[in-house]
């Protein structure tokens, strides 16, 4: 706890630094594309002036996509940090409990039925919530759940969802396969309004900061947390519900994107320490920055073609995580 107390004064300067990085990443994302927009043109548009073409390009195409990327990355990183506290396992991931599999089944079902993007997003959210409830119910059983039971149940449910997804891809019409595969790999090209995800990210980040002290104690173990007066079970339930909702919102916005929720919290703990009052808001900013830059790379690296952003996060995440494992062996 002394380390956490020493880390507390660093909260605002650290978050300000991460906020500046986030603004720079957002500006780069908005300016980069088939039509490059320089800094003067960007500022002119943001100040209400500028050319009509630039205004249309920024406000109708690039800015909504960049905000959706930022919100999705922040949601996944915060959800990953919460899951790692809940399971007391630094390798925990937002998708470890089968949430992405449930969302995939819901979204692909809507795609197979030929329904619109709004229904696809709604079906993905419902599928993720159904998976979360299923995992928690089975792990709880007739007694109380433990991190090990929750993790094992999630792995089994995720494997089941994977089999269903494979079956759906096998029977899908050929013309539906590209959209289904892009969704499974994570794609922001068809991201709808970013505001629900941004609002959810902001509210949860603000609500979690006062709980940082309790989360710090819980990370040391439930017995020590209970001895120090923390209501362990309600806090664990709250963490599980919050992480599930954040992951469901992220998957609904951009499909299944891996490694952000795994690598970002792990890297930040190595740099900033284990104070959750600092880690959680930093995850929101760093995760958003990472996915914004990854999406910028995904839509420019082989322009005019675009890659699914999940491909970029995997290419960046695998070597990064292997390096982190080597450093912490």
């Amino acid at each position: 706890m002394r380390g956490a107390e020493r880390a507390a004064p660093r909260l605002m300067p650290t978050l300000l630094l991460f906020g500046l990085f986030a603004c720079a990443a957002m500006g780069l994302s908005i300016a980069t594309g088939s039509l490059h927009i320089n800094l003067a043109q960007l500022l002119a548009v943001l100040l209400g002036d500028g050319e009509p073409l630039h205004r249309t390009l920024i406000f109708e195409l690039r800015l909504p996509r960049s905000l959706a990327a930022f919100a999705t990355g922040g949601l996944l990183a915060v959800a990953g940090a919460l899951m790692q506290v809940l399971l007391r396992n630094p390798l925990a991931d937002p998708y470890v409990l089968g949430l992405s599999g449930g969302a995939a089944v819901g979204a692909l079902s809507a795609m197979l039925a030929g329904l619109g993007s709004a229904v696809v997003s709604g079906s993905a959210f419902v599928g993720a919530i159904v998976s979360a409830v299923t995992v928690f119910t089975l792990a709880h059983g007739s007694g109380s759940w433990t991190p090990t039971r929750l993790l094992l149940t999630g792995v089994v449910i995720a494997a089941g969802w994977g089999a269903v997804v494979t079956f759906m891809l096998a029977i899908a019409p050929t013309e539906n396969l590209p959209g289904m595969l892009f969704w499974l790999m994570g794609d922001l090209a068809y991201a709808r309004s970013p505001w629900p995800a941004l609002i959810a990210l902001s509210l949860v980040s603000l609500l979690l900061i006062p709980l940082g002290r309790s989360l710090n104690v819980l990370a040391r173990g439930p017995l020590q947390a209970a001895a120090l007066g923390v209501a362990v079970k309600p806090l664990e339930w709250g963490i599980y519900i919050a992480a599930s909702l954040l992951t469901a919102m992220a998957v609904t916005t951009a499909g299944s994107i891996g490694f952000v929720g795994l690598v970002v919290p792990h890297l930040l703990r190595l740099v900033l320490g284990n104070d959750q009052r600092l880690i959680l808001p930093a995850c929101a900013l760093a995760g958003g920055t990472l996915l914004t830059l990854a999406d910028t790379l995904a839509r420019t690296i082989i322009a005019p073609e675009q890659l699914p952003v999940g491909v970029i996060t995997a290419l960046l995440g695998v070597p990064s995580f292997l390096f982190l494992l080597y450093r912490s062996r």
Side-chain angles (χ1 to χ4, degrees):
M1 292 301 291
R2 291 179 180 177
E5 293 298 334
R6 287 195 299 266
R10 295 186 295 154
L11 179 62
M12 292 309 299
T14 302
L15 295 185
L16 179 60
L17 179 62
F18 278 98
L20 292 175
F21 285 140
C23 291
M26 190 69 65
L28 178 64
S29 177
I30 295 172
T32 304
S34 56
L35 175 61
H36 181 73
I37 299 175
N38 61 41
L39 181 60
Q41 293 169 331
L42 177 60
L43 290 176
V45 171
L46 295 179
L47 293 174
D49 199 358
E51 299 180 13
L53 175 61
H54 292 163
R55 291 201 299 269
T56 301
L57 186 63
I58 289 175
F59 290 122
E60 295 186 13
L61 296 176
R62 292 185 184 175
L63 182 59
R65 177 165 176 163
S66 298
L67 290 174
F70 181 85
T72 301
L75 289 170
L76 289 174
V78 173
L82 290 175
M83 293 304 301
Q84 289 165 17
V85 171
L86 176 67
L87 300 178
R88 289 176 283 283
N89 186 338
L91 301 182
D93 177 84
Y95 299 139
V96 75
L97 300 182
L99 299 179
S100 64
V105 170
L108 297 187
S109 299
M111 292 180 186
L112 283 177
L115 302 176
S117 59
V119 180
V120 171
S121 297
S123 300
F125 186 82
V126 171
I129 297 303
V130 167
S131 183
V133 172
T134 301
V135 170
F136 183 79
T137 302
L138 294 177
H140 190 276
S142 58
S144 61
W145 59 270
T146 63
T148 301
R149 289 182 63 180
L150 194 64
L151 183 60
L152 291 177
T153 305
V155 170
V156 173
I157 294 297
W161 289 131
V164 175
V165 168
T166 301
F167 173 75
M168 297 175 75
L169 292 175
I171 66 173
T174 304
E175 61 271 15
N176 288 3
L177 280 177
M180 297 170 72
L181 291 174
F182 264 65
W183 192 95
L184 289 173
M185 290 183 287
D187 185 24
L188 284 155
Y190 301 102
R192 302 175 68 240
S193 173
W195 300 114
L198 280 173
I199 293 171
L201 177 62
S202 302
L203 289 177
V204 171
S205 299
L206 292 174
L207 291 174
L208 287 175
I209 291 178
L211 295 176
R213 188 185 301 275
S214 298
L215 293 173
N216 287 336
V217 179
L218 182 63
R220 297 171 176 265
L223 295 179
Q224 183 173 351
L228 293 175
V230 175
V232 174
K233 285 302 178 183
L235 181 59
E236 289 181 333
W237 294 341
I239 292 174
Y240 180 74
I241 293 172
S244 299
L245 290 176
L246 292 179
T247 305
M249 183 68 72
V251 175
T252 300
T253 303
S256 182
I257 299 174
F259 287 99
V260 176
L262 180 63
V263 173
V264 171
H266 198 68
L267 180 61
L268 288 179
R269 278 197 300 271
L270 293 177
V271 176
L272 302 176
N274 289 316
D275 188 355
Q276 300 301 320
R277 292 171 295 180
L278 181 58
I279 290 295
L280 291 172
C283 278
L285 294 171
T289 300
L290 174 63
L291 195 59
T292 301
L293 293 175
D295 182 58
T296 304
L297 188 61
R299 59 184 174 83
T300 57
I301 189 172
I302 57 171
E305 300 296 327
Q306 297 186 21
L307 290 172
V309 68
V311 173
I312 302 298
T313 59
L315 291 175
L316 296 175
V318 170
S320 300
F321 191 66
L322 290 176
F323 175 72
L324 292 175
L325 285 180
Y326 175 79
R327 285 286 305 271
S328 61
R329 60 182 176 177

